[in-house]
Amino acid sequence: LKPDLEPASHLLNLFSSGPRDLPERQQSLRKMIAWSYGLLEKEEKLTLRYASIFPASLSSQMLAKLLGKSEFEVLALVESLVDKNLLKAAFTDNETTRFFMLESIREFAWDEIRAEGELPSMKAAYVQLYQELAAKAEKGLQGKDQEKWLGILDIEYPNLNLAMEIGMSSSAGSALWRKSFWILVYLEQYWMIHAYFNELIELAERALQAIMDIDTVDDDLTVLKACIYSTMGTAAWLKVDIENAHDYHQKSLELFAKLGDQEKIAFSVNNIAVNADNRGEHDKALALYQRSLALYEKQENNWGKTRLHLNLCNHYNLVRNDTEKTVEHAQKSLEFAKELGEPFLLSVASFT
């Protein structure tokens, strides 16, 4: 998953001076692909080039959005490319049709992208596409459609990874750079639900280093910085680095308070409460849990209320050995989880 579309297999040497530098067998393969490509209509060529940027399989819906065309129009173009053996069709477990491309054809298409001078605009459109998907997924993962969104993200994960890599490799502070880190922030719950902790930790540490190297911070970057501090706090907590986890969550809380973001304030206060419990500061933790719960109740946020009642259930059970309070908060967490309909929290609350 290289941000400059550098081929992984190097079946076709795109960095040579041209096909004549290639072995005869590869020249023959390249000529065959070039011949097929030359027979395509203009819109088919464009569709093939844009389809080649997806490192994994792709859907006609996502390709249509990338091209800025209707799905109906793009599906007809894709089917034509399948008929010409330039794309392959495959089916997912839920019988959704996905499309993929052989590596040799992909590398030829990348060469054409460079020849057309499309790479900068294509990168921008691709990162924007997956930032929008990640933003929708963040909300979708907190409700009854969680399973659907987990399935979507599982399939699109290699494509999302490329979008992050393209952005993170861009100029610091640029629009592409910022969008890549927003994808990371939006997908935090995805990694947590799947327990992909190592990947989250690695990306969070990379994001923190990048954000700390920026001198000038505008309002948009302040929001992003606060979110990255929060994600880094979670990463530190996963590494059982409680002191740093507390410090990062405290920094995120200070920035969210400055911005007046009540939902994020509630989220950060809850995280600091968990850190306080881990540090043995149980009275402080209880006060913070109650403060966070009050904020979520004011916002009528069932996702937040479910998590807080689960944390309070654990607090009263493991710290205070208070069975009555433990049961009370367990029952409330289940009540709100049922209203929310999110499978992950519902399963945790039911088990509790």
Side-chain angles (χ1 to χ4, degrees):
L1 304 180
K2 299 293 183 67
D4 59 353
L5 305 185
E6 182 182 333
S9 71
H10 297 289
L11 180 61
L12 301 177
N13 185 358
L14 303 186
F15 302 101
S16 68
S17 60
R20 285 175 297 179
D21 291 344
L22 297 172
E24 183 178 350
R25 181 169 173 270
Q26 291 187 27
Q27 287 187 46
S28 298
L29 176 58
R30 187 184 187 89
K31 287 176 182 177
M32 182 178 68
I33 298 172
W35 179 79
S36 298
Y37 182 78
L39 296 176
L40 299 178
E41 299 293 334
K42 180 180 178 181
E43 290 301 308
E44 290 176 321
K45 291 179 178 178
L46 180 69
T47 302
L48 185 70
R49 293 197 301 273
Y50 271 69
S52 73
I53 195 174
F54 295 86
S57 64
L58 62 127
S59 68
S60 57
Q61 295 96 325
M62 294 299 280
L63 182 56
K65 290 177 181 178
L66 186 64
L67 285 163
K69 298 179 181 293
S70 72
E71 186 182 344
F72 179 79
E73 181 183 0
V74 169
L75 185 58
L77 289 165
V78 166
E79 288 175 348
S80 176
L81 292 172
V82 170
D83 291 341
K84 295 176 173 67
N85 293 315
L86 292 169
L87 282 178
K88 301 289 183 181
F91 296 96
T92 61
D93 292 340
N94 61 2
E95 299 184 354
T96 302
T97 306
R98 304 279 297 182
F99 302 94
F100 66 95
M101 186 179 296
L102 296 178
E103 193 70 14
S104 55
I105 297 173
R106 184 191 309 280
E107 293 175 11
F108 176 87
W110 289 346
D111 216 12
E112 293 300 307
I113 288 169
R114 294 191 183 93
E116 295 289 337
E118 295 170 324
L119 191 54
S121 60
M122 190 179 288
K123 282 183 177 181
Y126 185 85
V127 173
Q128 177 67 31
L129 175 67
Y130 279 98
Q131 185 206 11
E132 292 173 358
L133 178 71
K136 292 177 182 177
E138 182 187 38
K139 297 297 182 185
L141 290 173
Q142 296 181 8
K144 58 181 174 30
D145 292 330
Q146 185 185 78
E147 289 186 67
K148 181 189 83 171
W149 277 103
L150 285 172
I152 291 171
L153 293 176
D154 286 343
I155 292 173
E156 295 287 354
Y157 193 60
N159 299 329
L160 282 156
N161 262 328
L162 178 60
M164 283 191 287
E165 189 62 38
I166 288 172
M168 290 180 185
S169 302
S170 301
S171 299
S174 67
L176 278 183
W177 183 90
R178 296 179 189 218
K179 288 173 183 178
S180 69
F181 289 118
W182 275 118
I183 294 173
L184 165 63
V185 169
Y186 293 143
L187 295 184
E188 180 179 333
Q189 288 303 309
Y190 172 76
W191 281 298
M192 292 298 289
I193 291 169
H194 271 320
Y196 294 161
F197 299 148
N198 289 338
E199 292 178 45
L200 176 59
I201 290 168
E202 180 182 346
L203 286 166
E205 290 175 344
R206 186 175 175 185
L208 179 67
Q209 183 60 54
I211 206 81
M212 293 300 290
D213 290 340
I214 297 293
D215 294 327
T216 304
V217 180
D218 54 32
D219 288 345
D220 178 65
L221 204 54
T222 299
V223 178
L224 181 56
K225 190 173 186 178
C227 290
I228 289 175
Y229 274 138
S230 178
T231 301
M232 190 60 209
T234 300
W237 179 76
L238 290 170
K239 293 169 65 177
V240 200
D241 184 357
I242 305 304
E243 293 305 314
N244 275 324
H246 176 273
D247 290 345
Y248 287 129
H249 284 309
Q250 188 63 47
K251 288 178 180 178
S252 74
L253 175 59
E254 290 168 4
L255 290 176
F256 286 133
K258 180 180 178 181
L259 295 163
D261 189 329
Q262 295 300 308
E263 183 177 350
K264 291 295 187 181
I265 290 171
F267 185 76
S268 293
V269 170
N270 174 61
N271 287 330
I272 295 171
V274 172
N275 298 152
D277 250 348
N278 295 148
R279 296 165 75 183
E281 301 170 350
H282 302 308
D283 289 341
K284 177 182 177 181
L286 180 57
L288 290 168
Y289 285 135
Q290 292 170 339
R291 177 186 169 193
S292 181
L293 179 59
L295 289 169
Y296 277 130
E297 287 175 339
K298 187 175 182 180
Q299 298 161 25
E300 299 182 347
N301 186 321
N302 282 350
W303 183 79
K305 287 188 283 186
T306 302
R307 294 177 75 245
L308 259 298
H309 282 296
L310 283 170
N311 285 342
L312 282 164
C313 171
N314 288 330
H315 176 86
Y316 279 109
N317 180 38
L318 301 174
V319 175
R320 301 183 185 275
N321 197 27
D322 187 329
T323 303
E324 184 177 348
K325 287 287 187 179
T326 298
V327 173
E328 175 189 340
H329 287 291
Q331 289 175 334
K332 286 184 177 179
S333 72
L334 182 58
E335 174 189 338
F336 289 120
K338 286 180 177 179
E339 289 184 27
L340 183 66
E342 184 203 297
F344 179 75
L345 282 181
L346 184 56
S347 66
V348 174
S350 298
F351 176 80
T352 301

